[in-house]
């Protein structure tokens, strides 16, 4: 271990200055707690700080993908587009940091590398890789479910003569592909957004696809001022209606409570078509059994494949772009001109499903015995999702238990918020919660408020620690698995299952049961005196000095 300076004492140490960390800091301060955010990057914004690739934008509508805790904030902020692009989202994160005077509580360019629960002091002893140390009663991991990029271990990756850019670690300065031959590896949400824009700039673009994705149109455009005024006229009502939705958003296009198998082909087609014209995730709500019954799902899947065939002129390319897996099993992509891009003469698609990329060479890459030459390679290869960031920390609970040992078979958790053996450690938007299936800012607000209420409860009762019980945790993980078992989510290899990372244990990580029942369960647990948690008195008097 690096020699460390004397530990700064805090009530709450927060890891990460994305939306979760910003709101947690604000909330902790509103409770009168001393709190500090430690962020590895040189700015706030988390996901939206790092994912600066061309075309990066949110796939939930801007009016829904924003904080609701402050009516003033939601009234004063103006989104320019239906789906905000990364620069605007980053401006929003910075605005939130300034508006709520959070900057002096955020330490940038500092990477937390180790945290251990000290059972005697009942505090988290936390260190950075530069040897700074903090001692906090509570540790909040606001480090994001999609924050550790997945860079496949391609042979020869280091040997490439040109730049290798990962979508999730895009440079801050603009990248110009003009006149270049560019490779994009991957065809998930990031690639689908980046490909149309790279294709407009590059001389030649070659996309290496292992699994085709389903994409539905965003129909993005300037935000309609009439719509904005309508939402702002009753923003709390709009938010409340969204909270009743399964995804926590989309109240204007609710789930159609009808089976896809119970209607005529004409009715079905009309419903799919209407939702396709609106764009976004609403297609999966066209019928209430699309995510539950593979026969119903196949009808929606074929509808999208039909759209691909109508859009892509070359039948071979259209066939390659047509996914075979159930729709929605991997996260649905929301695109702007993705399939149309393959009609451009400078774009080609290479299938690497059967014959993988063998090697990156100084001049390009090889697959299936063929060499391809490139000036730049873009890896749109996703993330070690939900667990990657915590598993890379030296994070130890009671008895020095490393998180790697606790999670060797998958991320055990209770309510997606806490882990048995790791008292006073809260995880925001992690495995076991519905966050991956919601508008994530809404999930973040829900988690942060639950955590803040929990800390306030402990303080009011003179309690020092809270910890999930092993029994409650086991029952919760079984519940998350049981819910997934009633859906189509187990029918393909997705990051939800950890299947995109070689060697990662397979466990369906997010809760697929819908936001309203999850939020209700979290509230019920708290109302019952934190059922399933062990709460304990201080083993000795605790004191906490303010560091401002
Ligand atoms: O990552 P992904 P992403 N050789 O894992 C391929 C959110 N997000 O960054 O499917 C060749 O989806 C891999 O192939 P396969 C959103 O939640 C949101 O695109 O594993 N290919 C796949 O095609 C999303 O789900 C937004 O067979 C390899 C691709 O790389 C999540 O982030 C925008 C490979 C990775 O796709 C992740 O999206 C962007 C290899 N060795 C992201 N390894 C919006 O809000 C991997 N691949 C719109």
């Amino acid at each position: 271990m690096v020699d460390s300076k004397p530990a700064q004492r805090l009530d709450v140490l927060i890891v990460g200055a994305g939306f979760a960390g910003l709101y947690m800091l604000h909330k902790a301060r509103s409770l009168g707690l001393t709190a500090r955010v430690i962020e590895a990057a040189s700015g706030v914004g988390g996901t939206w700080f790092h994912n600066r690739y061309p075309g990066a934008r949110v796939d939930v509508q801007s009016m829904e993908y924003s904080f609701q805790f402050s009516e003033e904030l939601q009234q004063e902020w103006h989104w320019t587009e239906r789906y905000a692009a990364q620069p605007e989202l980053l401006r929003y994160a910075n605005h939130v940091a300034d508006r709520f005077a959070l900057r002096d509580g955020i330490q940038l360019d500092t990477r937390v590398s180790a945290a251990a629960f000290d059972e005697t002091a009942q505090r988290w002893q936390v260190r950075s890789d530069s040897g700074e140390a903090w001692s906090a009663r509570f540790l909040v991991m606001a480090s994001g479910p999609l924050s550790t990029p997945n860079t496949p271990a391609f042979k020869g990756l280091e040997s490439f003569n040109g730049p290798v850019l990962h979508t999730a670690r895009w440079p801050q300065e603009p990248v110009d592909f003009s006149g270049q031959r560019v490779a994009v590896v991957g065809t998930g949400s990031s690639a689908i957004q980046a490909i149309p824009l790279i294709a407009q700039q590059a001389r030649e673009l070659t996309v290496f696809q292992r699994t085709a994705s389903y994409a539905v149109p965003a129909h993005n455009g300037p935000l309609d001022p009439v719509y904005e005024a309508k939402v702002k006229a009753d923003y709390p009502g709009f938010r409340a209606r969204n909270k009743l939705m399964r995804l926590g958003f989309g109240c204007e296009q609710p789930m159609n409570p009808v089976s896809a198998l119970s209607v005529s082909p004409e009715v079905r087609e009309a419903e799919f078509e209407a939702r396709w014209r609106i764009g976004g995730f609403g297609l999966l709500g066209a019928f209430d059994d699309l995510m539950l019954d593979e026969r119903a799902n196949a009808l929606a899947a074929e509808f999208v494949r039909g759209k691909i065939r109508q859009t892509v002129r070359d039948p071979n390319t259209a066939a390659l772009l047509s996914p075979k897996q159930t729709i929605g099993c991997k996260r649905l992509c929301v695109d702007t001109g993705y399939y149309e891009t393959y009609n451009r003469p400078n774009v080609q698609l290479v299938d690497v499903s059967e014959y993988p990329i063998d090697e990156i060479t100084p001049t390009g890459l090889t697959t299936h015995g063929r060499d391809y030459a490139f000036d730049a390679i873009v890896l749109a290869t996703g993330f070690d999702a939900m667990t990657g960031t915590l598993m890379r920390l030296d994070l130890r609970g009671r008895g020095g238990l490393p998180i790697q040992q606790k999670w060797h078979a998958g991320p055990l958790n209770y309510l997606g918020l806490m882990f048995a053996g790791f008292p006073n450690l809260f995880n925001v938007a992690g495995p076991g919660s519905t966050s991956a299936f919601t508008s994530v800012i809404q999930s973040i607000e829900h988690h942060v408020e639950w955590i803040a209420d929990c800390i306030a409860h402990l303080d009011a009762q003179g309690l020092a620690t809270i910890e999930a019980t092993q029994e409650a945790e086991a029952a919760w993980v079984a519940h998350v698995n049981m819910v997934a078992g009633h859906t189509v989510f187990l029918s393909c290899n997705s990051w939800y299952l950890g299947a995109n990372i070689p060697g990662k244990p397979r466990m369906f990580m997010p809760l697929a049961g819908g936001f309203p029942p999850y939020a209700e369960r979290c509230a019920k647990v708290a109302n019952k005196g934190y059922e399933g948690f062990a709460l304990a008195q201080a083993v000795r008097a605790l004191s906490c000095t303010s560091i401002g």
Side-chain angles (χ1 to χ4, degrees):
M1 266 216 189
V2 186
D3 280 349
S4 58
K5 302 168 194 157
Q8 301 168 46
R9 287 173 71 81
L10 296 163
D11 292 315
V12 189
L13 186 96
I14 302 158
V15 182
F19 287 126
L22 294 176
Y23 186 39
M24 191 68 235
L25 177 61
H26 176 63
K27 222 33 208 169
R29 284 178 163 181
S30 73
L31 292 176
L33 301 168
T34 55
R36 195 150 186 83
V37 175
I38 308 302
E39 166 61 58
S42 60
V44 303
T47 287
W48 301 109
F49 180 89
H50 290 292
N51 288 262
R52 296 165 187 253
Y53 59 84
R57 66 176 68 250
V58 66
D59 56 5
V60 172
Q61 295 193 47
S62 319
M63 295 298 286
E64 291 165 292
Y65 188 85
S66 49
F67 281 124
Q68 57 190 285
F69 69 83
S70 160
E71 174 65 2
E72 294 75 25
L73 172 66
Q74 60 182 6
Q75 287 296 335
E76 77 199 9
W77 185 262
H78 165 66
W79 297 105
T80 62
E81 291 181 275
R82 185 178 175 199
Y83 294 93
Q86 176 272 334
E88 191 168 24
L89 289 155
L90 190 56
R91 278 200 298 281
Y92 178 70
N94 277 284
H95 173 73
V96 170
D98 292 330
R99 173 136 192 355
F100 297 98
L102 301 174
R103 297 227 186 246
D104 63 347
I106 302 170
Q107 183 168 331
L108 302 172
D109 298 308
T110 308
R111 180 172 290 280
V112 166
S113 55
F117 186 67
D118 175 340
E119 292 179 66
T120 311
Q122 291 179 309
R123 300 181 75 88
W124 279 93
Q125 312 297 5
V126 183
R127 284 163 193 257
S128 74
D129 55 7
S130 58
E132 254 182 288
W134 301 267
S135 169
R137 291 166 58 208
F138 301 98
L139 177 61
V140 179
M141 298 306 301
S143 44
L146 294 164
S147 46
T148 296
N150 167 42
T151 300
F154 291 123
K155 188 177 157 200
L157 186 59
E158 304 301 318
S159 73
F160 183 60
N161 286 332
V164 177
L165 304 161
H166 197 295
T167 46
R169 285 292 178 273
W170 205 259
Q172 293 196 36
E173 58 281 4
V175 177
D176 186 2
F177 293 117
S178 300
Q180 295 192 359
R181 298 157 303 170
V182 180
V184 171
V185 181
T187 50
S189 298
S190 303
I192 275 175
Q193 292 186 324
I195 283 167
L197 290 164
I198 297 175
Q200 286 170 24
Q201 214 179 44
R203 173 153 59 94
E204 285 169 24
L205 170 63
T206 308
V207 177
F208 293 88
Q209 171 186 278
R210 192 165 67 180
T211 309
S213 292
Y214 293 95
V216 292
H219 298 312
N220 186 37
L223 184 64
D224 175 0
V226 176
Y227 175 72
E228 182 184 7
K230 188 181 129 208
V231 171
K232 285 188 172 177
D234 179 23
Y235 227 143
F238 178 72
R239 300 293 197 182
R241 287 192 295 284
N242 270 330
K243 277 190 181 156
L244 300 175
M245 296 295 106
R246 194 177 169 75
L247 302 176
F249 67 96
C251 64
E252 282 150 347
Q253 209 187 359
M255 169 95 76
N256 178 18
V258 171
S259 163
L261 304 168
S262 69
V263 297
S264 68
E266 295 73 28
V267 169
R268 202 160 49 224
E269 197 72 5
E271 184 68 30
F272 286 145
E273 193 61 51
R275 287 177 181 251
W276 183 269
R277 275 199 301 273
I278 294 169
F281 290 116
L283 183 81
L284 292 181
F287 297 98
D288 69 2
D289 50 357
L290 297 182
M291 297 309 294
L292 303 176
D293 185 318
E294 293 206 15
R295 293 165 307 158
N297 185 286
L299 299 167
E302 186 48 28
F303 173 82
V304 178
R305 286 193 289 261
K307 291 288 182 191
I308 297 169
R309 289 191 292 271
Q310 282 167 24
T311 308
V312 179
R313 285 197 289 270
D314 172 46
N316 292 331
T317 306
L320 265 185
L321 287 168
S322 296
K324 297 183 182 67
Q325 72 273 14
T326 45
I327 183 169
C329 176
K330 285 172 183 273
R331 183 166 164 121
L332 190 63
C333 303
V334 179
D335 81 294
T336 300
Y338 174 64
Y339 295 121
E340 290 83 345
T341 298
Y342 292 93
N343 292 331
R344 295 177 65 101
N346 66 331
V347 176
Q348 67 162 324
L349 182 65
V350 176
D351 175 23
V352 290
S353 60
E354 212 174 323
Y355 301 100
I357 293 169
D358 293 321
E359 190 177 356
I360 308 286
T361 64
T363 53
L365 62 81
T366 63
T367 169
H368 198 196
R370 184 171 161 192
D371 291 331
Y372 292 84
F374 297 112
D375 301 301
I377 297 176
V378 174
L379 299 179
T381 45
F383 301 88
D384 185 349
M386 308 217 92
T387 59
T389 303
L390 268 58
M391 291 288 268
R392 281 164 177 75
L393 288 180
D394 181 5
L395 180 60
R396 291 166 190 270
R398 273 192 201 286
L401 176 70
I403 191 76
Q404 294 79 4
Q405 192 175 322
K406 178 170 175 72
W407 281 3
H408 75 279
L412 305 180
N413 68 85
Y414 180 39
L415 300 178
L417 288 160
M418 298 195 83
F419 322 136
F422 290 70
N424 291 8
L425 182 152
F426 300 96
N427 197 24
V428 182
S433 76
T434 50
S435 62
F437 299 127
T438 64
S439 166
V440 80
I441 298 189
Q442 180 182 328
S443 283
I444 284 169
E445 282 186 301
H446 170 258
H447 286 184
V448 166
E449 286 162 14
W450 192 96
I451 293 165
D453 288 348
C454 176
I455 294 176
H457 173 82
L458 295 179
D459 284 354
Q461 301 297 316
L463 296 164
T465 59
I466 179 166
E467 181 180 353
T469 65
Q470 303 277 358
E471 298 72 29
E473 182 174 84
W476 185 253
V477 171
H479 172 69
V480 172
N481 273 291
M482 183 273 293
V483 172
H486 289 294
T487 70
V488 302
F489 283 113
L490 302 183
S491 66
C492 76
N493 289 327
S494 66
W495 62 255
Y496 300 139
L497 261 175
N500 64 325
I501 303 295
K504 186 162 171 169
R506 297 234 174 166
M507 174 172 145
F508 193 79
M509 295 183 283
L511 173 62
F515 179 76
Y518 170 69
E520 204 177 297
R521 178 70 188 269
C522 291
K524 211 164 157 186
V525 163
N527 291 337
K528 287 187 163 180
Y530 293 89
E531 190 178 46
F533 290 99
L535 283 69
Q537 304 281 343
V539 288
R540 62 180 177 83
L542 296 168
S543 65
C544 185
T545 55
S546 168
I547 64 158

